[in-house]
Amino acid sequence: MAFDLDLYKQRTGRLNLDGIEFEAFEEVPLDPATLRCLQYMHDVEHHTVCYLRDLLVTSAHRDHEITSFMSFWVHEEYWHGEAIAEVLRRHGLAGGADRIVPMRHSLTIKDRLMPFTHMAGSAIAGPSFLAVLMTWGAVNEWTTQAGYGRLAQLADHPVLSELLKRIMRQEGLHIDFYSSQAAARLERDRRAQRLTRFALDRLWQPVGANVMPPAEVEHLIAHLFSGEEGRAATERIDRRIDRLPGLEGLGIVSRAAGTAGRTSR
Ligand SMILES: [Fe+2]
Ligand SMILES: [Fe+2]
C-alpha cells in the first residue's frame, strides 16, 4: 500500500476541535486512572519534536518524502498534546507548558545521548537503518492508536471518545506512512530485515518509556493493555508486525504488555 503524500498534504492540519465540549468534563469528570493515562499521552505527544531531533541526525534527513511527512507529523502531534492539555486543565491539572517545561528540565543524560546513538546507528548500518526507524515508527503509531482506542472504551465518556476518535484518525495517517515505508524498505532486503528484527527484539520499548517514569509506563500498560480486550489489542498489533517482510513471530508488543502486567501485580 503506497502512501499518497500529496493527499496527506491536503488533509494535514491542526486537530479540529469544533464542537468538542470541554466544559462537559467539569460536569462529568474523568476518573483518576484515565487522567493519569492522559498525562502520559500528553507528555509523549509533546515530546514528538524531540523524537524529530533524533530522526533528523540520521540519513532520514536526506529523504524528501520522509522529511515532508515529518514536517506535518510533528505539527499534528503538537496539537494532540494541546487538546489533551485542555482536558487536563478542565480537571484542575497542569497541561501544556506547565507540564512540559519541568519535564524537559528533568530529562537525563540518556535523552542528551539520543542524537549521538541515532547518528552512530545510521552511520554504521547505512541505508538499512531507515527500515529500522520506519518500522519503529509504525509500531509506535499502532500502539498509540490502540492506546487511545482502549482509553476511550474504558473511560466511556462521550466527549473524550469524540476527541480521541479525531486524534485516532490522524494517527491512522501516521500509521499509513510509517507502515508503507517500513514494508517498502524491508521488502527483498535481508540485511534490513535482520537489523530491524534485532533492534525491535532487543531494544523496543513502549513509546514514552525512555522519557516517562517507570511507574507511569507500568500504569499505562496495566490500565490499557491488561485483561482480555487489552490482550486482544496487543496481539492485533503483533499480527500487523508479523505481516511486515521478515518480521514474523516477534511478539514484542504482547511481551511488553505481559511483562508490565506481571511486575505491576
Ligand atoms: Fe498523536
Ligand atoms: Fe502519531
Side-chain angles (χ1 to χ4, degrees):
M1 166 202 51
F3 181 80
D4 190 335
L5 183 63
D6 288 328
L7 188 64
Y8 179 59
K9 279 155 71 175
Q10 287 166 28
R11 291 174 65 178
T12 183
R14 176 177 171 167
L15 186 71
N16 176 18
L17 297 179
D18 290 351
I20 300 287
E21 291 163 0
F22 287 100
E23 58 278 5
F25 294 116
E26 287 155 27
E27 200 108 325
V28 184
L30 296 166
D31 60 282
T34 299
L35 288 167
R36 194 169 164 189
C37 290
L38 285 172
Q39 286 173 319
Y40 186 110
M41 289 156 157
H42 165 275
D43 294 358
V44 173
E45 292 282 8
H46 270 302
H47 202 69
T48 307
V49 70
C50 302
Y51 295 128
L52 181 65
R53 167 202 65 174
D54 303 335
L55 295 168
L56 289 178
V57 298
T58 72
S59 58
H61 80 274
R62 287 203 295 268
D63 186 302
H64 177 65
E65 192 168 10
I66 294 178
T67 55
S68 300
F69 166 79
M70 284 177 173
S71 307
F72 307 114
W73 167 66
V74 71
H75 176 85
E76 290 184 347
E77 306 291 29
Y78 182 92
W79 289 108
H80 296 174
E82 285 296 277
I84 298 170
E86 187 56 25
V87 178
L88 295 175
R89 284 192 288 261
R90 295 291 177 148
H91 291 81
L93 299 167
D98 292 343
R99 276 188 71 85
I100 298 307
V101 172
M103 183 204 166
R104 291 279 163 84
H105 279 111
S106 70
L107 290 174
T108 62
I109 182 78
K110 202 164 84 183
D111 172 77
R112 288 199 289 280
L113 289 176
M114 287 300 262
F116 298 102
T117 53
H118 277 73
M119 205 186 272
S122 178
I124 295 163
S128 300
F129 197 66
L130 287 181
V132 179
L133 294 179
M134 296 297 108
T135 309
W136 198 284
V139 177
N140 286 353
E141 296 288 350
W142 275 324
T143 50
T144 300
Q145 195 196 50
Y148 282 132
R150 286 287 295 144
L151 190 64
Q153 199 177 23
L154 289 162
D156 195 22
H157 188 295
V159 179
L160 185 74
S161 294
E162 176 58 29
L163 176 64
L164 296 184
K165 190 174 90 187
R166 294 185 194 185
I167 292 178
M168 285 168 68
R169 211 178 291 144
Q170 290 194 323
E171 306 296 6
L173 296 175
H174 305 165
I175 287 169
D176 291 347
F177 175 80
Y178 282 111
S179 62
S180 62
Q181 280 279 337
R185 289 171 189 281
L186 290 164
E187 189 71 51
R188 286 187 291 278
D189 187 342
R190 292 293 300 157
R191 186 168 185 274
Q193 292 175 13
R194 276 198 304 273
L195 192 70
T196 306
R197 277 195 81 88
F198 176 84
L200 289 179
D201 194 36
R202 303 290 178 88
L203 305 172
W204 185 80
Q205 292 178 298
V207 61
N210 58 336
V211 286
M212 299 300 290
E216 298 311 302
V217 184
E218 289 275 324
H219 173 266
L220 183 96
I221 295 174
H223 187 64
L224 300 180
F225 295 114
S226 60
E228 207 174 304
E229 294 192 43
R231 231 182 346 267
T234 60
E235 285 170 2
R236 226 172 2 250
I237 300 168
D238 279 324
R239 284 199 297 275
R240 287 179 182 157
I241 300 171
D242 285 345
R243 287 200 284 273
L244 288 171
L247 301 188
E248 315 71 27
L250 277 171
I252 51 168
V253 182
S254 302
R255 196 204 303 161
T259 310
R262 272 199 300 278
T263 45
S264 67
R265 275 199 290 273

